[in-house]
Amino acid sequence: MRVFALILGIFFLTGCTVTTPAEPEAPAVDRSAMATDERTAVDAVNGFWRTRFPRVFDQPYRGPRVAGAYTGTNGPRCGGQPSVAFNAYYCRPGDYLAWDEELMAAGYRQIGDAWVYLIIAHEWGHAIQARLEADLVSVAAELQADCLAGAALQGAAQDGVIAIEPGDAEELAQTLAAVADDYPWTDVSDHGNAEQRTDAFNSGVSGGIPACIG
Ligand SMILES: [Zn+2]
C-alpha cells in the first residue's frame, strides 16, 4: 500500500514539532516522514473537499480544525472527555480532528503511509457528515466515513495531488484485518469488519461522493 505524495510545495512546517517515545521492540518508524505524510494527507483531503463540497452540496465549505497528533491521554478533550490511546477522532463540539501518533506509527510500520491517509480521510469524513443535513448521514456512519475517505483520496489522486496504486485496496483490507480489534480506531463493533470497511472505501473510490450519500 503506497500513497505517494507528489506535491512538493506543500511541505511547509507548522512550527509544531512532534516528539514521541521510541518504540522498544518494533522497528523504528521514520517519524519525520510520517509527519510529512500527515501534513500531505491533510492538505490533499482538505483540498478535495474545498472544491467538491460546495459543488455537490450547494453550500459553502469551511474545513475542520486539525488539532493533529497527541499521545495517549494528552490529546485535546472533547465534550469533557479525555483523549483515548491508539485512537483517532473527529470532535464534533470542537469541530477538530486529532489522532494518537502511536496509532499512526503502528499502521505505518505494518503497511506504510497509506494508513495515515486512510485515518485522516476517514476522520475528515466525519467532519463532512457534521456539515450535512441529517438525512444525508448514513446510520452506518463509520462505513460512510470510509466511503467518503475513498472518494476524497481518489479525487485527490485524480487531481494529481497523491497517487493510489493498483492493489492498494487489497493491502488496506489486509491491514484492517490484521489490526481489527487491536485499537479503538479499528474496533469491529464500532466500525464494521475489514471486508465491510474495504467495500465501503472502494465504493467511494469507484463512485465518488454520490456513492456514499443516500
Ligand atoms: Zn470513524
Side-chain angles (χ1 to χ4, degrees):
M1 167 79 72
R2 282 159 213 94
V3 179
F4 291 120
L6 296 181
I7 284 198
L8 298 176
I10 55 175
F11 294 158
F12 53 85
L13 293 170
T14 59
C16 155
T17 307
V18 177
T19 38
T20 42
E23 295 280 320
E25 18 183 84
V29 165
D30 183 339
R31 301 287 176 145
S32 158
M34 191 172 79
T36 298
D37 280 317
E38 290 170 0
R39 285 192 296 274
T40 307
V42 164
D43 288 340
V45 173
N46 191 40
F48 170 83
W49 286 114
R50 197 171 50 230
T51 55
R52 284 9 177 254
F53 189 90
R55 239 187 267 161
V56 174
F57 299 110
D58 199 24
Q59 63 185 83
Y61 170 77
R62 202 172 60 85
R65 193 163 61 82
V66 179
Y70 67 88
T71 305
T73 54
N74 76 1
R77 296 176 79 83
C78 179
Q81 298 297 312
S83 64
V84 173
F86 285 106
N87 200 20
Y89 56 97
Y90 166 68
C91 177
R92 187 163 188 156
D95 192 30
Y96 66 79
L97 281 72
W99 54 82
D100 187 335
E101 200 69 340
E102 299 309 316
L103 173 71
M104 289 298 198
Y108 203 83
R109 184 161 43 233
Q110 284 194 35
I111 197 159
D113 52 5
W115 178 249
V116 167
Y117 288 80
L118 171 67
I119 289 178
I120 289 175
H122 171 100
E123 297 307 329
W124 216 286
H126 287 312
I128 296 301
Q129 288 170 329
R131 286 156 170 72
L132 296 179
E133 301 287 339
D135 62 351
L136 295 180
V137 179
S138 168
V139 288
E142 295 302 332
L143 294 177
Q144 186 179 44
D146 283 330
C147 184
L148 293 171
L153 293 179
Q154 175 65 22
Q158 279 169 355
D159 294 347
V161 177
I162 56 172
I164 299 179
E165 293 188 335
D168 277 356
E170 288 73 24
E171 293 179 11
L172 185 63
Q174 289 166 8
T175 306
L176 288 169
V179 299
D181 288 330
D182 285 358
Y183 310 119
W185 198 81
T186 52
D187 187 297
V188 169
S189 64
D190 282 351
H191 287 91
N193 65 34
E195 189 183 353
Q196 290 171 315
R197 296 198 68 176
T198 308
D199 285 350
F201 182 85
N202 284 339
S203 294
V205 167
S206 55
I209 300 168
C212 310
I213 304 295

